[in-house]
Amino acid sequence: GQISLGWMSVAAAQPYIKDGKLKVIGVPAEKRYAQFPEAATFIEQGVPNFVVPSWTGFHAPKGTPPDGVARLNAIVNEALRMPELRDRIQEQGQFVVTQTPAQFADSIKQTAARLQPVLTKLAPLIRE
């Protein structure tokens, strides 16, 4: 029934924070989240470049035919253009961004490369 440290989206965390079951120790953004204005960013707490955009994406097994990947991407992007879905996502503190599969893969690679040095430095602190 307890966790020492966790990472979750704003939407997933909000009910637990409101109930006092979770405490926000920092947000991985350039500025504080409107939902948790009292929670300092990790940058404010002395961890430079600790910006991790929250994202949700679809993945397919390696070797999935490119036309299948393109079709799935088109369907998802079409759904994300629906105002009612966009509104619902934005109500949960998220932003809607549509990308091609190549853009999405590149975004993940860039984020991983940027965070690797920061996470390496944080690892000893988390274990304490």
Side-chain angles (χ1 to χ4, degrees), residues 60-75:
K62 186 175 182 175
T64 299
D67 59 332
V69 172
R71 174 123 171 84
L72 177 60
N73 181 253
I75 291 168

Side-chain angles (χ1 to χ4, degrees), residues 84-103:
E84 57 274 11
L85 181 58
R86 291 179 79 87
D87 291 348
R88 180 77 190 263
I89 291 169
Q90 290 170 348
E91 286 169 11
Q92 296 177 2
Q94 304 297 313
F95 300 95
V96 176
V97 176
T98 57
Q99 295 180 315
T100 66
Q103 289 170 324

Side-chain angles (χ1 to χ4, degrees), residues 22-111:
L22 283 179
K23 177 184 176 189
V24 180
I25 61 168
V27 294
E30 291 179 356
K31 61 182 182 176
R32 294 181 183 208
Y33 291 172
Q35 295 88 342
F36 316 120
E38 70 287 348
T41 68
F42 285 109
I43 294 170
E44 290 175 298
Q45 296 179 58
V47 185
N49 300 318
F50 198 73
V51 176
V52 184
S54 175
W55 55 265
T56 301
F58 289 90
H59 298 269
K62 186 175 182 175
T64 299
D67 59 332
V69 172
R71 174 123 171 84
L72 177 60
N73 181 253
I75 291 168
V76 169
N77 284 341
E78 182 180 337
L80 290 172
R81 286 189 282 277
M82 297 170 62
E84 57 274 11
L85 181 58
R86 291 179 79 87
D87 291 348
R88 180 77 190 263
I89 291 169
Q90 290 170 348
E91 286 169 11
Q92 296 177 2
Q94 304 297 313
F95 300 95
V96 176
V97 176
T98 57
Q99 295 180 315
T100 66
Q103 289 170 324
F104 183 47
D106 189 51
S107 176
I108 292 169
K109 287 176 189 172
Q110 286 180 17
T111 299

